[in-house]
Amino acid sequence: MGWMAWERFRCNVNCDNDPYNCISETLFTDMADRLSEDGWRDLGYVYVNIDDCWSSMERDENGRLQPDPKRFPGGIPKLARYMHDRGLKLGIYADMGTDTCEGFPGTPLDKIKIDAQTFAEWEVDMLKFDGCHSNASEQEQGYPLMSKALNATGRPIGYACSWPVYQDCLPPKVNYTQLGKICNLWRNYYDIEDSWDSVQEIIDWFFDHQDVLIPVSGPGRWNDPDMLVIGNFGLNMDQSRTQMALWAIMAAPLYMSNDLRSISSGARSILQNKMAISINQDPMGIQGRRIVKEGSWIEVFWRPLSNNTSTLVFFCRKNTPCLYHTSLSRLNYTTGSYKIFDVFTETNMMLKDSIDFMVSVNPSGVVMWHVSAPTKMNLR
Ligand code: GLA
């Protein structure tokens, strides 16, 4: 969990005209201040990730990557220290081709070792390794090689791979078993944008391919549907709750890309929802699935959680409210009465498996339940 610059701040390198929003040391220290002072860190949002466009256009005289001196005057070690002093971690970005996606120096095969060493010396805690401007055979060598090189540094560095995106996302081209061995998380699918269409497209892709994706993920190896765009301009509050709920169902990394200096209290309360976070971070790490898809209006998702609990999400895909009639037994809950906690209204109720109920869901929104196993008293 953490924060990542890309979706919100992109490749804005124009610090002369836009010092507040450009990719610079200040942007990352500002976000670190917000994470540590506004409750985010204590909820688990600890990574601060630099994305593309941080480096200088040239490597240094020793062939090492270096940050743009004007925008990162203190260098990366200073930023890493800033994070570590506040109980945060620093992530960085590189690309295994000749250039990054935005045309900054890449990390081709012969540079992998030296770049891994540089990141470790800088005390970086995570690397996102992109794949623009590289071909399939280079990727096949480069992604495992970077994994080895990072491990060889002796510093624990989380390894986020974008490889599947460059292999059309699915087997047989993508070898998810191998990814699980060399990467901690991987971008399965194309880039998220700040729009409801983009969020829906990602949801559809991940759940349409759930039978491929669920078995490959687990603790230490996660599918990554990309950043949370909650708190920006494209999603309303219902759609924001939908992104939070379904990213929790998917056991997805929670990387926000927004402006924590000016985020609305509504978006903040969704992103800081304790139950949604604890569902997302459940220690069993089993990715959930879509269990109902009724026509094109209602979908139900389920994820098993530790301590004999689980979560259910009802998602309304119409642009008018959905009134859905069902029962717990129809959703495979068959052992008596259950304690239901509504994650976003923070209310409790008891529900018997055989009882029919109606759930009312806002357009493009969700109702999210945490379901506790029946207690002995309630067993029939
Ligand atoms: C690719 C990645 C994005 C971002 C950009 C940066 O498109 O998928 O997440 O890192 O490159 O250029």
Side-chain angles (χ1 to χ4, degrees), residues 6 51-52 93 101-102 128 130 166 187 191 226-227:
W6 180 255
D51 208 274
D52 203 348
Y93 169 100
C101 301
E102 289 289 335
K128 169 171 167 182
D130 214 337
Y166 297 90
R187 280 280 311 284
D191 291 7
D226 212 359
M227 293 158 272

Side-chain angles (χ1 to χ4, degrees), residues 11 37 41 52 61 66 88 105 117 134 195 273 281 363 373:
C11 195
E37 289 165 32
R41 176 198 57 209
D52 203 348
E61 64 279 7
Q66 53 183 349
L88 300 169
Q117 279 161 0
S134 63
S195 76
N273 184 294
Q281 297 284 310

Side-chain angles (χ1 to χ4, degrees), residues 291-292 302 312 327-335 338 353:
I291 55 172
V292 174
W302 167 81
L312 279 175
S327 66
L328 283 179
S329 56
R330 267 182 273 169
L331 302 171
N332 309 324
Y333 289 83
T334 54
T335 49
Y338 293 84
D353 53 4

Side-chain angles (χ1 to χ4, degrees), residues 192 227-230 235 239-247:
I192 200 161
M227 293 158 272
L228 294 167
V229 292
I230 300 165
L235 306 188
Q239 294 158 352
S240 302
R241 282 187 276 270
T242 300
Q243 193 186 20
M244 192 70 185
L246 293 181
W247 264 235

Side-chain angles (χ1 to χ4, degrees), residues 123-139:
E123 306 210 331
V124 162
D125 305 291
M126 178 166 171
L127 172 68
K128 169 171 167 182
F129 204 32
D130 214 337
C132 278
H133 308 293
S134 63
N135 65 37
S137 90
E138 288 160 349
Q139 290 157 14

Side-chain angles (χ1 to χ4, degrees), residues 215-290:
V216 302
S217 97
R221 47 185 172 91
W222 309 104
N223 293 306
D224 178 10
D226 212 359
M227 293 158 272
L228 294 167
V229 292
I230 300 165
N232 294 320
F233 310 100
L235 306 188
N236 68 28
M237 285 297 122
D238 280 300
Q239 294 158 352
S240 302
R241 282 187 276 270
T242 300
Q243 193 186 20
M244 192 70 185
L246 293 181
W247 264 235
I249 290 282
M250 288 189 278
L254 295 184
Y255 267 98
M256 308 181 275
S257 188
N258 50 18
D259 190 343
L260 297 173
R261 300 167 297 194
S262 58
I263 190 168
S264 72
S265 60
R268 179 196 312 238
S269 74
I270 294 168
L271 290 162
Q272 294 197 343
N273 184 294
K274 282 197 176 134
M275 184 56 102
I277 291 172
S278 96
I279 291 169
N280 171 276
Q281 297 284 310
D282 185 79
M284 289 204 309
I286 299 176
Q287 183 172 331
R289 61 171 53 247
R290 183 168 61 200

